[in-house]
Every structure is written in structure tokens, then in C-alpha cells.
Amino acid sequence: MLRTVILAAARSSRVERLVETAPYTRDVVRRFVAGTGTADALRATRELVAEGLRVTLDHLGEDTVTPEQADATREEYLAVLGALRAAGLTPAAEVSVKLSALGQRFDEQLAYDNARAICVAADAAGTTVTLDMEDHTTTDSTLDILTKLREDHPATGAVLQAYLRRTEADCRDLATAGSRVRLCKGAYREPESVAYQSARDVDRSYVRCLNVLMAGAGYPMLATHDPRLITIGEDRARWFDRGPDGFEFQMLYGVRPQEQARLVAAGHTVRTYVPYGDQWYGYLMRRLAERPTNVVFFGRALVSRG
Ligand code: FDA
């Protein structure tokens, strides 16, 4: 119920204005978002890499409705990849890209062309690109673009969402040599016809998908903060003899940082997903929808006087 309300608020421009202009939201936003510019992204990356973490940078920008906005997003990715390379932060840091930010909603070819330019720049910087996954109406288009990108850039990664009924089959298709797959639960509000609705069914699906990926020939990226799923991931890594080069855990910036450090200390590869940019509102609302305690924390900051 709360999740539905927050996800509805995520689409409300009135709530957005309220949140963006509230005087004390900055600290809360900073917990989950590295900052607004390239320099902020680099600073956060440097700090995390110094702690033994890998990074994937996400430039926030989901409301792309014109080719000019899509071009601007592409240019930001090219700039940040150049800056990462110059700072010696590749291959420890890569980038995550939302095709909607590159024009997918109104021109699939444009989104492909933009994504391809980013893959070329990532190759030149000695690192990789992972395509984020958005709501289920975009899954086929995103996987089609992935297939085309992988012809020249085989290390391009995909995200699969365990809440979708189709995902176990998609995992089988993508569990092949050289294929990088990030498995997450899924963050959008989806109808029952395409997605499991209960947390229990989503978790079960996650485990089935994880089994397929860990048993397969690709490179699994287990994106979750869920202690039970992390334990199962560690167990399967032992079972399938996958060391730190054979799979990785991934978590979001600001979420369970101690657990991220614990996994690094245990010898695992751990990558932190670091969002930055001025369009942080939708991202922040999805994080709040996931965890009621985050809402309490955020609500307090909204009304707090310091
Ligand atoms: P969930 O939110 O169900 O939490 C399970 C348990 O984890 C909790 O009960 C608690 O024990 C623990 N936990 C979670 N948050 C905690 C916190 N703040 N503090 C302490 N404990 C906490 N989604 C999508 O649709 N498309 C995408 O492309 C991506 N990309 C992506 C990349 C990466 C690297 C990550 C980590 C996640 C995504 N996601 C995503 C988001 C994903 O789908 C999902 O919404 C969130 O990761 C939350 O799901 P969890 O698996 O963490 O479990």
C-alpha cells in the first residue's frame, strides 16, 4: 500500500516540487545520490575504490522526450568515461545506462546509436557498460538492443528482474560465455499478468534465476541487499567454484555500506551502483518505496529544522 502511494508520488510533479524545494532534504538525498555533476561522481568513485569496491556510475535522467536531451545524456556519459580513464579509475569503475534516457521511448534507433557511442567510449576507456532495465514494456526492446550492441561490444551487460515471470527463461538465454547479467528483484509497479506480486514469490524466482546464472557460463552480478539471497549467492559460489573473478555482488550507494565492506573483506568482488545528476527525484522515490524506514528517515528530514 505504502509502496503504491510512494510510486504514485514519484509521478507527481507537485510532490516533486515540494521535495526539491524543502530546505532539509539535501542530506537525505546525499545519502543515496553522489551529487549532481561529473566531479561529484568522480569523488564518490575514488572514495569507494579506495575501500576496495568496484563502481558502476548511473547518470540520472529518465524523462528524456527530445533527441537533444538524449544527446546531452550521451555526452555526459562520454565525458564521465573520459574523466574516469584520465583519473585511472577504470576498469574498477564502469557505467550503467538507461535506454529511456537515450531516447528509447520515442526513437529506438536513436537509443541504440547513443548506447553504441557510449560502448565505444567505454572500450576506449578500458571498461564496460551495463544496460539498466526499466518497466516491462521496454524489456524486449532493451534485450534486442543488447544483442545488437554485443556484436561489437560483447562485454555489454544486461539487467534482468526476478519479479518478471519471463526472467528465468531470459536467464537461460543469457547464461552464456562472456555474457554479464545483473540480477535484481525489480523496482517498478508491474501487473500480475507479467510479474510475481508477493515478496515470497519474487524471492523464490530470484533464487531460481540465481541458480541458472551461477550454473551457466556467463558472469553473474547479484544485485541485492537481501541477507538471505546474499547467503545463497555465497553458497552457490562455493558450489560452482566461482571466485572473485567469477561473479560479483552489487548494491546501491548508501544502502548497507557495512555489508558491502564485509563482503569485500571476505574476498568477494563487490560493486556499488552510484547515481549522480540533477534528476534524482524518481530514483530517490523508488528507494523510499522499497523500505518504509527510509520514508520515516526522509519524512523527519523534510520537517526537521536542522
Ligand atoms: P528488498 O528491498 O526486498 O530488501 C530485502 C532485505 O534486504 C530487507 O528485508 C533487509 O533485510 C535488507 N535491506 C534492504 N535495504 C536495506 C537497508 N537500507 N538497510 C538494511 N537492510 C536492508 N531495479 C530495476 O528494476 N532495474 C534495474 O536496472 C535495477 N538496477 C539495480 C542495480 C543494482 C546494483 C541494485 C542493487 C539494484 C538495482 N535495481 C534495479 C533495484 C532492485 O530491483 C530492487 O528494487 C532493490 O535492489 C531492492 O531489492 P533488494 O534485493 O535489495 O531486496
Side-chain angles (χ1 to χ4, degrees), residues 30 142 172 177 202 212 232 263 281 305:
R30 245 193 230 143
T142 300
R172 287 187 203 289
V202 175
V212 171
I232 292 170
L263 289 167
Y281 178 74
R305 298 246 141 230

Side-chain angles (χ1 to χ4, degrees), residues 236-254:
R236 298 305 187 271
R238 275 190 295 274
W239 181 261
F240 291 109
D241 205 18
R242 285 182 182 267
D245 294 333
F247 84 108
E248 65 189 50
F249 288 110
Q250 297 190 343
M251 294 190 206
L252 302 176
Y253 186 67

Side-chain angles (χ1 to χ4, degrees), residues 216-272:
Y219 181 79
M221 305 185 279
L222 306 180
T224 182
H225 314 96
D226 191 323
R228 286 198 308 164
L229 297 178
I230 291 168
T231 303
I232 292 170
E234 288 188 285
D235 176 72
R236 298 305 187 271
R238 275 190 295 274
W239 181 261
F240 291 109
D241 205 18
R242 285 182 182 267
D245 294 333
F247 84 108
E248 65 189 50
F249 288 110
Q250 297 190 343
M251 294 190 206
L252 302 176
Y253 186 67
V255 180
R256 302 201 73 199
Q258 282 107 338
E259 177 66 358
Q260 298 186 28
R262 183 193 73 79
L263 289 167
V264 170
H268 295 296
T269 298
V270 183
R271 193 178 297 275
T272 307

Side-chain angles (χ1 to χ4, degrees), residues 3 31-32 56 96 98 131-135 159-161 163 182-188 199 203 206 222-229 249-252 254-257 271-273 286-287 290-291 293-294:
R3 182 164 183 256
R31 179 180 149 188
F32 296 107
T56 185
S96 286
K98 282 189 177 49
L131 302 182
D132 281 340
M133 192 60 85
E134 301 177 69
D135 73 74
V159 176
L160 294 177
Q161 299 152 316
Y163 65 12
R182 172 190 298 159
L183 180 65
C184 66
K185 289 191 185 180
Y188 298 80
D203 290 358
Y206 194 105
L222 306 180
T224 182
H225 314 96
D226 191 323
R228 286 198 308 164
L229 297 178
F249 288 110
Q250 297 190 343
M251 294 190 206
L252 302 176
V255 180
R256 302 201 73 199
R271 193 178 297 275
T272 307
Y273 183 103
R286 282 200 297 283
R287 300 291 78 79
E290 276 156 16
R291 203 166 159 76
T293 47
N294 286 342

Side-chain angles (χ1 to χ4, degrees), residues 48-242:
L48 293 164
V49 169
E51 291 168 20
L53 292 152
R54 311 267 173 100
V55 166
T56 185
L57 282 176
D58 167 34
H59 181 252
L60 296 169
E62 294 169 56
D63 299 324
T64 297
V65 289
T66 67
E68 291 71 28
Q69 287 171 316
D71 289 353
T73 303
R74 182 198 62 223
E75 290 306 306
E76 172 56 32
Y77 273 103
L78 301 191
V80 84
L81 281 163
L84 286 173
R85 180 195 193 180
L89 290 168
T90 54
E94 62 138 37
V95 294
S96 286
V97 172
K98 282 189 177 49
L99 289 175
S100 67
L102 298 177
Q104 186 184 34
R105 283 192 218 289
F106 57 89
D107 186 344
E108 228 176 90
Q109 179 65 36
L110 176 72
Y112 166 72
D113 291 341
N114 284 331
R116 193 159 185 279
I118 295 170
C119 287
V120 169
D123 272 359
T127 192
T128 49
V129 177
T130 300
L131 302 182
D132 281 340
M133 192 60 85
E134 301 177 69
D135 73 74
H136 79 278
T137 62
T138 65
T139 308
D140 282 327
S141 157
T142 300
L143 293 180
D144 287 349
I145 290 176
L146 174 82
T147 304
K148 284 207 280 172
L149 290 171
R150 288 194 66 218
E151 287 168 12
D152 290 327
H153 307 282
T156 307
V159 176
L160 294 177
Q161 299 152 316
Y163 65 12
L164 293 185
R165 297 176 192 275
R166 60 178 284 169
T167 292
E168 196 179 339
D170 288 334
C171 285
R172 287 187 203 289
D173 290 345
L174 288 178
T176 55
S179 164
R180 295 167 60 252
V181 178
R182 172 190 298 159
L183 180 65
C184 66
K185 289 191 185 180
Y188 298 80
R189 181 96 205 120
E190 299 287 15
E192 199 182 348
S193 53
V194 299
Y196 300 109
Q197 302 293 306
S198 74
R200 198 176 147 165
D201 285 343
V202 175
D203 290 358
R204 283 179 171 170
S205 170
Y206 194 105
V207 175
R208 290 195 301 274
C209 294
L210 179 157
N211 286 338
V212 171
L213 295 176
M214 293 296 268
Y219 181 79
M221 305 185 279
L222 306 180
T224 182
H225 314 96
D226 191 323
R228 286 198 308 164
L229 297 178
I230 291 168
T231 303
I232 292 170
E234 288 188 285
D235 176 72
R236 298 305 187 271
R238 275 190 295 274
W239 181 261
F240 291 109
D241 205 18
R242 285 182 182 267

